[in-house]
Amino acid sequence: MSDTPFGFGLPPEEPENGDEGKKKGNQGGQGGPNPFGFPGMGLPGGAGGADNPFAAMFGSMNPNDLGAAFQQLGQMLSYEGGPVNWDMAKDIARQTVAQGTADGVKDTSVGVAEKSAVEEAVRLADHWLDGVTSLPSGATTAVAWSRAEWVEATLPVWKELVDPVAERVGAAMGGVLPEEMQAMAGPLLGMMRSMGGAMFGQQIGQAVGTLAGEVVGSTDIGLPLGPAGKAALLPLNIEGFGKDLSVPAEEVRLYLALREAAHARLFAHVPWLRSHLFGAVEGYARGIKVDTSKLEDVVGQLDPTNPEQLQEALQGGMFQPQDTPEQKAALARLETALALVEGWVDAVVHEAAKPRLASADAMRETMRRRRASGGPAEQTFATLVGLELRPRRLRDASRLWASLTDARGVDGRDGLWEHPDMLPTASDLDDPDGFVHREQLDFSEIDKMLGEAAQKREQGTQGEQDGQGPEGEAGSDGSDGEGETKK
């Protein structure tokens, strides 16, 4: 579990700013953090700069921009929506994308040639996957996205993922205050809710915007972030991904298309999988609890006129969640399910790519190391919901699926996705061979009985349609009018 799950504390300094970013925020003769952790806001000489998440929104804060700045601030404080200000999140994500990545690469529109190359890669990938899985194609269309298009397409799913957690965080924070304090601090609590929505929106916007500069498709975190039926790749990011791999660009694109198409098959034809994963996130949210004793101690010492003191309390873990059994169970379920998804994709893609791509082994190891080193997808997901997908689980799951293919064949392996109770558990990932060679239940007799029962029902229905009632009575064309059957 991450040390800083989403909603608790404020986002860290951007790595590229380092000490320089901190110094900029303290210029003007006032030291320490400012209210609510928005660097540069309200500090003389520190309104602009790269360390200000609202700099792009407010401009350089010269006198001509002050009116617009205060208007934006008023809109932020008057926000009365849900737990996350998603309008702000979208704006900041788009601004982050527009700024470009740390290496200076700016977002660009996708050209006709790139769209054609992605469509061809996904078509060929689906053809290769036909021979290694019993699940049919799940991608009705293949699309090539810019980074900005990725943000637009995935925000609805981020909202579905994050809202339950953020809502529970807000409820937990408000519920620990005594009723008399809530009554006295009503206006302040309303402002804090608005600022909380802004803080969450700012954090999500920066995370999604940064992630858009590095993802290569719509399934990098093992969840379907894009619209159903669409296999999506980002040509600009794929180019950056393969820049130092010494692998032909066509092979890099094909391998990543295989992964995207494999994910699409799984989520399209395992109808319970998406709700299972998202339900685990909601289960995690329901388990969030706040250490009320610590919060009461801190609240009792806070000076409402000193917002910097509130900032320090936030950064000091004022709302640090308790590690509840409900959260542990939900996270374990989510981690295992994600590992099984990623392990299946890893095994199936390698089986399809190995005979055809000379770089298959190298690409596979590159993707695994990307996960093991805490890639952007894993880091963002850990920040949002407090989960880190352990690389050991991914490798164990991949080995288990490969062993199942050898022992039971493609149909036997993929048949386990028919119901969540049939899937391997966390303990099975510790002992893959034990699960693979465990005696399988024989459902043939049950299937035979169910088939015979269905056939009898069908025959009975047909008999009624032919005029024979369930009690052997004749129908309207076979009755003598006295309720007796004619001989």
Side-chain angles (χ1 to χ4, degrees):
M1 184 170 170
S2 169
D3 292 334
T4 56
F6 173 76
F8 299 100
L10 299 177
E13 291 284 345
E14 290 297 326
E16 58 268 27
N17 291 336
D19 294 335
E20 183 181 355
K22 296 179 182 178
K23 292 177 182 177
K24 289 180 181 179
N26 291 334
Q27 292 176 355
Q30 296 187 27
N34 58 46
F36 308 110
F38 298 139
M41 287 186 65
L43 298 182
D51 59 344
N52 185 354
F54 297 109
M57 182 185 298
F58 289 166
S60 60
M61 293 298 289
N62 60 50
N64 294 329
D65 293 330
L66 284 177
F70 283 114
Q71 183 179 4
Q72 291 283 354
L73 183 60
Q75 292 174 353
M76 181 173 64
L77 291 174
S78 63
Y79 172 72
E80 296 180 352
V84 178
N85 188 331
W86 285 103
D87 290 337
M88 176 176 289
K90 179 178 177 179
D91 289 342
I92 292 179
R94 292 296 300 264
Q95 294 292 345
T96 303
V97 166
Q99 292 170 6
T101 52
D103 56 3
V105 178
K106 300 281 187 177
D107 191 24
T108 59
S109 300
V110 179
V112 175
E114 291 173 318
K115 291 180 180 179
S116 177
V118 166
E119 292 173 355
E120 177 61 22
V122 172
R123 184 198 64 78
L124 185 57
D126 253 339
H127 176 66
W128 289 356
L129 289 172
D130 284 338
V132 296
T133 175
S134 61
L135 299 179
S137 174
T140 56
T141 57
V143 293
W145 284 339
S146 66
R147 294 167 179 171
E149 288 172 326
W150 183 90
V151 168
E152 294 282 352
T154 62
L155 268 179
V157 181
W158 287 116
K159 186 176 188 298
E160 187 177 352
L161 274 171
V162 174
D163 267 351
V165 180
E167 184 175 0
R168 182 57 188 153
V169 169
M173 291 191 300
V176 297
L177 296 178
E179 291 184 6
E180 60 272 14
M181 184 177 291
Q182 292 185 15
M184 293 174 58
L188 177 61
L189 288 177
M191 185 185 75
M192 287 300 297
R193 279 193 293 269
S194 298
M195 293 301 297
M199 282 197 298
F200 292 156
Q202 183 261 349
Q203 186 176 8
I204 291 297
Q206 283 192 337
V208 172
T210 301
L211 189 58
E214 303 186 50
V215 293
V216 295
S218 68
T219 55
D220 283 38
I221 65 172
L223 292 173
L225 295 179
K230 284 190 177 181
L233 294 175
L234 282 72
L236 180 61
N237 292 353
I238 290 176
E239 181 181 351
F241 176 82
K243 183 171 57 176
D244 300 322
L245 294 182
S246 300
V247 175
E250 294 78 9
E251 289 197 18
V252 174
R253 184 168 52 245
L254 258 174
Y255 190 88
L256 297 177
L258 279 167
R259 289 183 54 84
E260 184 76 6
H263 276 103
R265 289 184 182 228
L266 199 56
F267 284 105
H269 300 292
V270 182
W272 55 265
L273 182 57
R274 188 182 190 277
S275 60
H276 180 74
L277 292 168
F278 283 61
V281 175
E282 293 183 6
Y284 169 84
R286 287 194 299 269
I288 290 177
K289 289 180 170 49
V290 174
D291 187 347
T292 58
S293 60
K294 182 176 181 180
L295 180 58
E296 289 171 358
D297 292 341
V298 174
V299 169
Q301 301 173 11
L302 285 179
D303 179 3
T305 65
N306 187 355
E308 291 187 3
Q309 187 181 11
L310 175 60
Q311 167 71 7
E312 293 172 0
L314 286 167
Q315 292 178 329
M318 176 179 174
F319 300 127
Q320 188 65 31
Q322 297 173 333
D323 198 9
T324 65
E326 295 87 352
Q327 284 179 294
K328 288 181 178 179
L331 289 176
R333 184 168 68 253
L334 181 57
E335 181 182 71
T336 300
L338 284 173
L340 290 173
V341 168
E342 288 296 290
W344 184 88
V345 169
D346 180 78
V348 167
V349 166
H350 186 69
E351 189 176 353
K354 179 69 172 176
R356 300 176 174 94
L357 298 179
S359 61
D361 289 331
M363 289 295 300
R364 184 187 204 186
E365 189 58 30
T366 297
M367 295 303 299
R368 286 181 166 184
R369 288 181 179 180
R370 179 180 169 96
R371 287 301 181 91
S373 62
E378 287 79 7
Q379 290 174 358
T380 299
F381 200 61
T383 302
L384 298 181
V385 300
L387 171 75
E388 291 179 349
L389 181 62
R390 290 175 289 170
R392 182 178 65 84
R393 300 286 81 183
L394 169 59
R395 291 179 182 267
D396 289 344
S398 179
R399 184 165 58 251
L400 184 148
W401 289 117
S403 298
L404 280 169
T405 307
D406 295 337
R408 305 184 187 181
V410 169
D411 291 341
R413 177 200 65 199
D414 294 346
L416 293 178
W417 289 105
E418 291 180 3
H419 193 277
D421 291 343
M422 298 176 66
L423 287 178
T425 63
S427 59
D428 292 326
L429 293 180
D430 293 327
D431 182 22
D433 292 336
F435 179 84
V436 170
H437 299 294
R438 186 181 304 159
E439 183 178 356
Q440 301 181 57
L441 297 176
D442 185 4
F443 293 102
S444 58
E445 288 299 323
I446 297 179
D447 290 340
K448 182 179 178 182
M449 293 172 60
L450 291 174
E452 291 176 349
Q455 187 176 9
K456 289 180 180 179
R457 285 196 300 271
E458 184 178 348
Q459 291 175 346
T461 302
Q462 185 64 40
E464 291 181 13
Q465 293 175 350
D466 291 341
Q468 189 68 25
E471 300 296 332
E473 297 177 350
S476 58
D477 59 343
S479 172
D480 61 1
E482 299 293 333
E484 295 180 4
T485 304
K486 294 181 179 179
K487 304 286 182 160

